[in-house]
Amino acid sequence: MLFTDRVDAGRRLALALRHLKAEGPVVLGLPRGGVPVAFEVARALGAPLDVVVVRKLGVPYHRELGFGAIGEGGARVISDDIVRRSGLREEALVAVERAEEAELERRARRFRGDRPRLALGGRTTVVVDDGIATGATAAAACEVVRAQGAARVVLAAPVAAPDAVARLSTEADDVVCLSVPQMFRAVGEWYENFTQTSDEEVVALLAQAARAGGKAAEEVEVGAGGVRLAGDLALPEGAGAVVMFAHGSGSSRHSPRNRSVAAALNRAGLGTLLFDLLTPAEEADRANVFDIETLAGRLGDATRWLHRRVSLPIGYFGASTGAAAALRAAASAGTEVGAVVSRGGRPDLAGPRLGDVRAPTLLIVGSRDTLVLDLNQRAQAELRCENRLEIVPGATHLFEEPGALDKVADLARDWFTRKLGPSARAE
């Protein structure tokens, strides 16, 4: 069994776990890769989502080889066999554990922020990972949730090694695994796309799931351009506006960067709609992601769809070619949009329509993204609306540098709050 990516794996795993919905479970993802899978499981089960933070203890001269794992609450699982075969001395074991304990505490704070850990007392708890190789980390996770009072522990993963499943059957009350291949070598071999999950994606998914009493954002189908486009609509209680995300070339509503920004907007009381402007079949043709006219038309249709659903001011957040689509849509008659933000965008691709944009526009570019910075400066000269160019020091095109994406989120939040808030509408 081969999975497209973690989203696909999570949705298929959720089908195998649907019998648990009546038990009102809590779903816990193992960061980082297990969280996107767990997010889909929690969404399908209507369950709250959290992380169970554990750290693998790696042999110092071969970090990929784990001799055990530790978890929150003092849980500790050690493989005496690996310790013996690796020839590790006690002082080396202690040094690794101390370092990983510090990292465990840091990650718990990073992922949850100021949210408390979900209470597990007396509840069915589903521990989810994207795959299980040795099982040491999963075993530690099971021990952690039992110590936190879980009444029943279900361990779930899309794929796992046979010996790991056999071992974990004694650690969990139930092990649910879609594929247990005899020729198992690595988890990534069973995914077409197994790119690393970032901390920002984990934070964004947890924040999204924390809204509406722990429920994930609502899955919607947006009617635009004669097609149905998949989306995620999040409306925090008392939301005063909604920001629509226009994704760029090679991106989608699952973009960890856009999800991270969306989570920051949600925390500020702004609703968000992350949706795909192209169908999966259309995305296969790279020419479509540069068809700005079509993308802008669909964004305009989606805006009217959203206006029929919610009576709130609407803003656009565009990335890469999505920024051009956002600006062209904002320039079109009949499209009511109150503010636009571009992240590493290509506003120049909006062409002569830039001068027709009336919505206040913020352009955000990394200082090291020199080509795109030059294109944004040229595009800014064509804008006739209120506008500003913000340059994030030291950032490259994807804002992957520490703190760069947080700066983008802060700038976008402040812009939308000011331009879509009550004071802006009163002017």
PDB file of all heavy atoms in Angstrom, residues 117-135:
ATOM      1  N   ARG A 117      -2.064  21.185  28.081  1.00  0.00           N
ATOM      2  CA  ARG A 117      -2.146  19.840  27.523  1.00  0.00           C
ATOM      3  C   ARG A 117      -3.563  19.312  27.717  1.00  0.00           C
ATOM      4  O   ARG A 117      -4.185  19.535  28.748  1.00  0.00           O
ATOM      5  CB  ARG A 117      -1.142  18.938  28.237  1.00  0.00           C
ATOM      6  CG  ARG A 117      -0.896  17.598  27.585  1.00  0.00           C
ATOM      7  CD  ARG A 117       0.291  16.921  28.238  1.00  0.00           C
ATOM      8  NE  ARG A 117       0.042  16.620  29.640  1.00  0.00           N
ATOM      9  CZ  ARG A 117       0.977  16.460  30.558  1.00  0.00           C
ATOM     10  NH1 ARG A 117       2.245  16.616  30.235  1.00  0.00           N
ATOM     11  NH2 ARG A 117       0.668  16.174  31.800  1.00  0.00           N
ATOM     12  N   LEU A 118      -4.094  18.620  26.710  1.00  0.00           N
ATOM     13  CA  LEU A 118      -5.448  18.091  26.817  1.00  0.00           C
ATOM     14  C   LEU A 118      -5.539  17.049  27.924  1.00  0.00           C
ATOM     15  O   LEU A 118      -4.653  16.205  28.077  1.00  0.00           O
ATOM     16  CB  LEU A 118      -5.885  17.454  25.496  1.00  0.00           C
ATOM     17  CG  LEU A 118      -6.213  18.386  24.328  1.00  0.00           C
ATOM     18  CD1 LEU A 118      -6.628  17.578  23.110  1.00  0.00           C
ATOM     19  CD2 LEU A 118      -7.322  19.358  24.706  1.00  0.00           C
ATOM     20  N   ALA A 119      -6.617  17.109  28.702  1.00  0.00           N
ATOM     21  CA  ALA A 119      -6.840  16.123  29.761  1.00  0.00           C
ATOM     22  C   ALA A 119      -7.269  14.791  29.148  1.00  0.00           C
ATOM     23  O   ALA A 119      -8.164  14.750  28.300  1.00  0.00           O
ATOM     24  CB  ALA A 119      -7.907  16.633  30.723  1.00  0.00           C
ATOM     25  N   LEU A 120      -6.636  13.711  29.580  1.00  0.00           N
ATOM     26  CA  LEU A 120      -6.915  12.386  29.027  1.00  0.00           C
ATOM     27  C   LEU A 120      -7.644  11.472  30.003  1.00  0.00           C
ATOM     28  O   LEU A 120      -8.013  10.356  29.633  1.00  0.00           O
ATOM     29  CB  LEU A 120      -5.599  11.704  28.612  1.00  0.00           C
ATOM     30  CG  LEU A 120      -4.679  12.492  27.674  1.00  0.00           C
ATOM     31  CD1 LEU A 120      -3.433  11.667  27.359  1.00  0.00           C
ATOM     32  CD2 LEU A 120      -5.406  12.876  26.409  1.00  0.00           C
ATOM     33  N   GLY A 121      -7.846  11.924  31.227  1.00  0.00           N
ATOM     34  CA  GLY A 121      -8.411  11.080  32.274  1.00  0.00           C
ATOM     35  C   GLY A 121      -9.707  10.399  31.869  1.00  0.00           C
ATOM     36  O   GLY A 121     -10.698  11.061  31.544  1.00  0.00           O
ATOM     37  N   GLY A 122      -9.714   9.057  31.880  1.00  0.00           N
ATOM     38  CA  GLY A 122     -10.913   8.282  31.602  1.00  0.00           C
ATOM     39  C   GLY A 122     -11.340   8.239  30.153  1.00  0.00           C
ATOM     40  O   GLY A 122     -12.420   7.728  29.854  1.00  0.00           O
ATOM     41  N   ARG A 123     -10.507   8.718  29.238  1.00  0.00           N
ATOM     42  CA  ARG A 123     -10.922   8.801  27.839  1.00  0.00           C
ATOM     43  C   ARG A 123     -10.136   7.833  26.954  1.00  0.00           C
ATOM     44  O   ARG A 123      -9.002   7.463  27.251  1.00  0.00           O
ATOM     45  CB  ARG A 123     -10.733  10.225  27.306  1.00  0.00           C
ATOM     46  CG  ARG A 123     -11.498  11.272  28.092  1.00  0.00           C
ATOM     47  CD  ARG A 123     -11.421  12.629  27.460  1.00  0.00           C
ATOM     48  NE  ARG A 123     -12.152  12.694  26.204  1.00  0.00           N
ATOM     49  CZ  ARG A 123     -12.330  13.819  25.522  1.00  0.00           C
ATOM     50  NH1 ARG A 123     -11.838  14.958  25.978  1.00  0.00           N
ATOM     51  NH2 ARG A 123     -13.009  13.817  24.389  1.00  0.00           N
ATOM     52  N   THR A 124     -10.750   7.466  25.844  1.00  0.00           N
ATOM     53  CA  THR A 124     -10.049   6.721  24.807  1.00  0.00           C
ATOM     54  C   THR A 124      -9.091   7.681  24.113  1.00  0.00           C
ATOM     55  O   THR A 124      -9.483   8.776  23.700  1.00  0.00           O
ATOM     56  CB  THR A 124     -11.035   6.136  23.778  1.00  0.00           C
ATOM     57  OG1 THR A 124     -11.853   5.164  24.427  1.00  0.00           O
ATOM     58  CG2 THR A 124     -10.301   5.495  22.617  1.00  0.00           C
ATOM     59  N   THR A 125      -7.844   7.278  23.989  1.00  0.00           N
ATOM     60  CA  THR A 125      -6.817   8.136  23.396  1.00  0.00           C
ATOM     61  C   THR A 125      -6.201   7.437  22.202  1.00  0.00           C
ATOM     62  O   THR A 125      -5.718   6.309  22.312  1.00  0.00           O
ATOM     63  CB  THR A 125      -5.732   8.474  24.430  1.00  0.00           C
ATOM     64  OG1 THR A 125      -6.344   9.100  25.567  1.00  0.00           O
ATOM     65  CG2 THR A 125      -4.700   9.415  23.832  1.00  0.00           C
ATOM     66  N   VAL A 126      -6.228   8.110  21.064  1.00  0.00           N
ATOM     67  CA  VAL A 126      -5.670   7.554  19.830  1.00  0.00           C
ATOM     68  C   VAL A 126      -4.330   8.234  19.570  1.00  0.00           C
ATOM     69  O   VAL A 126      -4.267   9.442  19.335  1.00  0.00           O
ATOM     70  CB  VAL A 126      -6.617   7.774  18.627  1.00  0.00           C
ATOM     71  CG1 VAL A 126      -6.058   7.084  17.386  1.00  0.00           C
ATOM     72  CG2 VAL A 126      -8.014   7.251  18.947  1.00  0.00           C
ATOM     73  N   VAL A 127      -3.263   7.460  19.627  1.00  0.00           N
ATOM     74  CA  VAL A 127      -1.910   7.964  19.364  1.00  0.00           C
ATOM     75  C   VAL A 127      -1.583   7.665  17.905  1.00  0.00           C
ATOM     76  O   VAL A 127      -1.635   6.510  17.477  1.00  0.00           O
ATOM     77  CB  VAL A 127      -0.883   7.301  20.292  1.00  0.00           C
ATOM     78  CG1 VAL A 127       0.524   7.789  19.961  1.00  0.00           C
ATOM     79  CG2 VAL A 127      -1.220   7.590  21.756  1.00  0.00           C
ATOM     80  N   VAL A 128      -1.237   8.707  17.145  1.00  0.00           N
ATOM     81  CA  VAL A 128      -1.068   8.573  15.697  1.00  0.00           C
ATOM     82  C   VAL A 128       0.342   8.977  15.285  1.00  0.00           C
ATOM     83  O   VAL A 128       0.863  10.013  15.713  1.00  0.00           O
ATOM     84  CB  VAL A 128      -2.088   9.449  14.948  1.00  0.00           C
ATOM     85  CG1 VAL A 128      -1.894   9.324  13.436  1.00  0.00           C
ATOM     86  CG2 VAL A 128      -3.512   9.070  15.339  1.00  0.00           C
ATOM     87  N   ASP A 129       0.958   8.146  14.422  1.00  0.00           N
ATOM     88  CA  ASP A 129       2.231   8.503  13.797  1.00  0.00           C
ATOM     89  C   ASP A 129       2.108   8.275  12.301  1.00  0.00           C
ATOM     90  O   ASP A 129       1.165   7.633  11.834  1.00  0.00           O
ATOM     91  CB  ASP A 129       3.372   7.670  14.382  1.00  0.00           C
ATOM     92  CG  ASP A 129       4.728   8.365  14.240  1.00  0.00           C
ATOM     93  OD1 ASP A 129       4.781   9.444  13.614  1.00  0.00           O
ATOM     94  OD2 ASP A 129       5.724   7.840  14.760  1.00  0.00           O
ATOM     95  N   ASP A 130       3.069   8.813  11.540  1.00  0.00           N
ATOM     96  CA  ASP A 130       3.014   8.619  10.083  1.00  0.00           C
ATOM     97  C   ASP A 130       3.589   7.276   9.660  1.00  0.00           C
ATOM     98  O   ASP A 130       3.465   6.870   8.505  1.00  0.00           O
ATOM     99  CB  ASP A 130       3.720   9.758   9.351  1.00  0.00           C
ATOM    100  CG  ASP A 130       5.175   9.946   9.794  1.00  0.00           C
ATOM    101  OD1 ASP A 130       5.668   9.143  10.615  1.00  0.00           O
ATOM    102  OD2 ASP A 130       5.822  10.910   9.319  1.00  0.00           O
ATOM    103  N   GLY A 131       4.214   6.563  10.572  1.00  0.00           N
ATOM    104  CA  GLY A 131       4.760   5.245  10.307  1.00  0.00           C
ATOM    105  C   GLY A 131       5.585   4.795  11.490  1.00  0.00           C
ATOM    106  O   GLY A 131       6.047   5.618  12.295  1.00  0.00           O
ATOM    107  N   ILE A 132       5.761   3.494  11.638  1.00  0.00           N
ATOM    108  CA  ILE A 132       6.479   2.959  12.794  1.00  0.00           C
ATOM    109  C   ILE A 132       7.575   2.019  12.310  1.00  0.00           C
ATOM    110  O   ILE A 132       7.291   1.036  11.627  1.00  0.00           O
ATOM    111  CB  ILE A 132       5.526   2.207  13.742  1.00  0.00           C
ATOM    112  CG1 ILE A 132       4.415   3.147  14.237  1.00  0.00           C
ATOM    113  CG2 ILE A 132       6.282   1.625  14.921  1.00  0.00           C
ATOM    114  CD1 ILE A 132       3.328   2.448  15.029  1.00  0.00           C
ATOM    115  N   ALA A 133       8.810   2.341  12.678  1.00  0.00           N
ATOM    116  CA  ALA A 133       9.942   1.497  12.299  1.00  0.00           C
ATOM    117  C   ALA A 133      10.328   0.590  13.460  1.00  0.00           C
ATOM    118  O   ALA A 133       9.979  -0.577  13.493  1.00  0.00           O
ATOM    119  CB  ALA A 133      11.110   2.368  11.862  1.00  0.00           C
ATOM    120  N   THR A 134      11.027   1.139  14.472  1.00  0.00           N
ATOM    121  CA  THR A 134      11.429   0.313  15.617  1.00  0.00           C
ATOM    122  C   THR A 134      10.338   0.226  16.671  1.00  0.00           C
ATOM    123  O   THR A 134      10.256  -0.759  17.400  1.00  0.00           O
ATOM    124  CB  THR A 134      12.689   0.887  16.278  1.00  0.00           C
ATOM    125  OG1 THR A 134      12.377   2.169  16.858  1.00  0.00           O
ATOM    126  CG2 THR A 134      13.801   1.060  15.262  1.00  0.00           C
ATOM    127  N   GLY A 135       9.530   1.252  16.784  1.00  0.00           N
ATOM    128  CA  GLY A 135       8.458   1.255  17.773  1.00  0.00           C
ATOM    129  C   GLY A 135       8.835   1.841  19.107  1.00  0.00           C
ATOM    130  O   GLY A 135       7.984   1.958  19.996  1.00  0.00           O
TER     131      GLY A 135
END
